[in-house]
């Protein structure tokens, strides 16, 4: 017996509907089945769409949770982990998996990396001798002589001196002390003119004007500045410390002394340093937040900024300058570095883009930092992780840079070695970067975006051997300010913030040029630079001047003798 096909039945039912033929129970049943199938198909589509939405929502939620966990791990590391950027040496055999570019032109690279890895694991810090630890500290010899008569106990013969023998060494500290110095003039008159209506009176003079603001000597003001801006000791702590010396001076008075005297006598040197800075072609920059409580028309909680500008690695004497500004607007940098047309090393802040004539160079330390932060917790040695691969590229560039600097004698040699050895690595790194497709919102996505936004700057440092490879020098130079900020927390007024910028400049200029900070500050406060001095005159007061260095060494030796 042949059963009709389901489509034949449906077609027959459809014909009957069109022709108006009365439906029998079988037709009605088929129609109901057809409607049921349609409804079920519609329901299946709805459920499938709902399931897809739920699956997509679940994946998004899981990714958000993963991103949040990344942020938690990152913040925990920032809060409790080490701040060092040192990394473990990569396994040489793994590195060649994606560093074929350099392997092709240097067959000995693998051996070099292996040798370097072995040397780093065995390298120990050399022990420092007492001569090196106490370099610059004067030595006073104390001779231990024989008690009593210098005669032989056996025969009574007088002893003769045969030499000296070392016994022990002590490090002695002499506490500071305060002294009030009162100046009086000796006055003289002419006895012959005494009978006149206006007799001649002659008074003793110091020979120079006392130009400092306040009842304070240059040495005392230098020590006050040294304690705050070099040792990060706030004025309120110095106020208590001075009380131990029997002196009661308020922190407000101390602040006033620093503000007025730095504006009057440090500012000319500050402007001179800025002019000398702009004559150079290789500069570096960085900035850090600063809270100033009483800025006009601004809330106390509003962030201000301290900028740092310094010379790069061009082989000339270094210059470091701080600048205070109310905002982080790029116009501050553009105005301070007006008409600068050299190479500028800085971080990724877009405000520096306003320096239209400057050539930006990328900081590879920042790039490595972003990639390091993108490595999942516990995956630091998982070479399948893209972030680990990126870090290995940058680490190898850092090692090459270090070796090139050690082996090169001139800046031309550095440029040639960089083009030969580092450029292929950067090209391979960029090829690796092009194929990265990280999950949106992840730390790897932030790292890749950061690098891609600075892609046009990555090879600029190859143009000249004097260009810096990273911005670490400027970050190290601004660190004294950030460390001090943890202690004194904020500046009270814009005048105080401006004085801090000027004074930090004097302190760091002394340190970077290898002179004693305290003696250099005292030297300046004795010479009292003024605004109308020529650059040739100010040059004679600069910390890199050889006569200034000799004078400061002489002063230190003289104080030690006393």
């Amino acid at each position: 017996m042949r059963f009709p096909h389901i489509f034949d039945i449906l077609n027959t039912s459809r014909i009957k509907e069109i022709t108006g033929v009365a439906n029998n129970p079988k037709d009605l049943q088929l129609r109901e089945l057809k409607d049921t199938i349609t409804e079920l198909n519609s329901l299946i589509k709805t459920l499938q769409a709902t399931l897809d939405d739920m699956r997509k929502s679940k994946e998004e939620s899981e990714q958000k949770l993963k991103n949040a966990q990344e942020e938690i791990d990152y913040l925990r590391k920032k809060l409790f982990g080490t701040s060092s950027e040192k990394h473990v040496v990569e396994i040489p055999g793994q590195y060649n998996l994606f560093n074929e570019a350099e392997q092709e032109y240097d067959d000995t690279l693998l051996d070099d990396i292996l040798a370097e890895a072995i040397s780093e694991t065995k390298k120990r810090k050399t022990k420092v001798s007492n001569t090196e630890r106490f370099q610059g500290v004067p030595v006073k010899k104390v001779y231990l002589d024989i008690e009593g008569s210098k005669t032989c106990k056996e025969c009574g013969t007088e002893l003769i001196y045969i030499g000296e023998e070392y016994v022990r060494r002590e490090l002695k500290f002499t506490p500071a002390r305060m002294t009030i110095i009162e100046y009086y003039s000796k006055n003289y008159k002419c006895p012959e003119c005494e009978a006149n209506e206006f007799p001649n009176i002659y008074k003793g003079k110091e020979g120079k004007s006392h130009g400092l603001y306040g009842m304070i000597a240059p040495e005392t003001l230098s020590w006050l500045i040294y304690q705050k801006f070099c040792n990060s000791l706030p004025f309120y702590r110095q106020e208590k410390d001075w009380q131990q010396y029997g002196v009661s001076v308020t922190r407000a008075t101390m602040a006033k002394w620093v503000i007025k005297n730095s504006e009057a006598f440090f500012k000319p040197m500050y402007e001179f340093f800025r002019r000398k800075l702009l004559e150079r072609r290789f500069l570096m920059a960085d900035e850090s937040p600063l809270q100033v409580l009483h800025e006009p028309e601004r809330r106390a909680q509003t962030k201000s900024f301290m900028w740092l500008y310094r010379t790069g690695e061009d082989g000339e004497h270094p210059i470091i300058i701080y600048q205070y500004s109310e905002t982080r607007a790029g116009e501050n940098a553009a105005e301070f570095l007006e008409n600068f047309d050299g190479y500028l090393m800085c971080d990724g802040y877009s405000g520096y883009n306003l320096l239209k004539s400057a050539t930006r160079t990328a900081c590879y330390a920042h790039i490595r930092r972003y990639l390091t932060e993108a490595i999942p917790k516990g995956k630091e040695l998982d070479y399948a992780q893209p972030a680990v691969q990126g870090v290995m590229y940058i680490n190898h560039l850092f090692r090459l840079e270090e070796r090139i600097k050690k082996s090169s004698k001139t800046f031309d040699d550095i440029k040639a070695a960089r083009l030969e050895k580092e450029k292929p690595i950067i090209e391979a790194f960029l090829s690796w970067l092009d194929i990265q497709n990280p999950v949106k919102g992840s730390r790897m996505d932030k790292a890749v975006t950061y690098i891609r936004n600075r892609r046009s700057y990555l090879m600029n440092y190859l143009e000249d051997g004097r260009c810096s490879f990273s911005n670490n020098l400027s970050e190290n130079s601004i660190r004294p300010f950030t460390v001090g900020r943890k202690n004194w927390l904020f500046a009270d007024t814009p005048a105080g913030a401006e004085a801090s910028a000027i004074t930090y400049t004097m302190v760091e200029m002394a340190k970077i040029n290898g002179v004693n900070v305290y003696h250099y500050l005292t030297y300046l406060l004795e010479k009292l630079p003024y605004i109308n001095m020529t650059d040739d005159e100010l040059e004679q007061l600069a910390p890199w001047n050889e006569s200034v260095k000799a004078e400061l060494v002489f002063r230190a030796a003289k104080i030690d003798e006393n």
Side-chain angles (χ1 to χ4, degrees), residues 467-504:
C467 289
S468 298
F469 181 70
S470 73
N471 203 32
N472 285 343
L473 282 180
S474 62
E475 290 189 350
N476 292 337
S477 297
I478 204 172
R479 186 169 291 119
F481 166 76
T482 59
V483 171
R485 185 183 57 200
K486 293 180 180 179
N487 291 325
W488 43 260
L489 301 179
F490 52 80
D492 188 55
T493 64
E498 180 70 22
S500 294
I502 296 173
T503 309
Y504 266 117

Side-chain angles (χ1 to χ4, degrees), residues 531-546:
I531 200 65
N532 292 327
M533 291 181 73
T534 65
D535 283 1
D536 289 338
E537 292 173 321
L538 295 171
E539 176 77 26
Q540 301 304 312
L541 304 178
W544 59 76
N545 189 287
E546 293 301 327

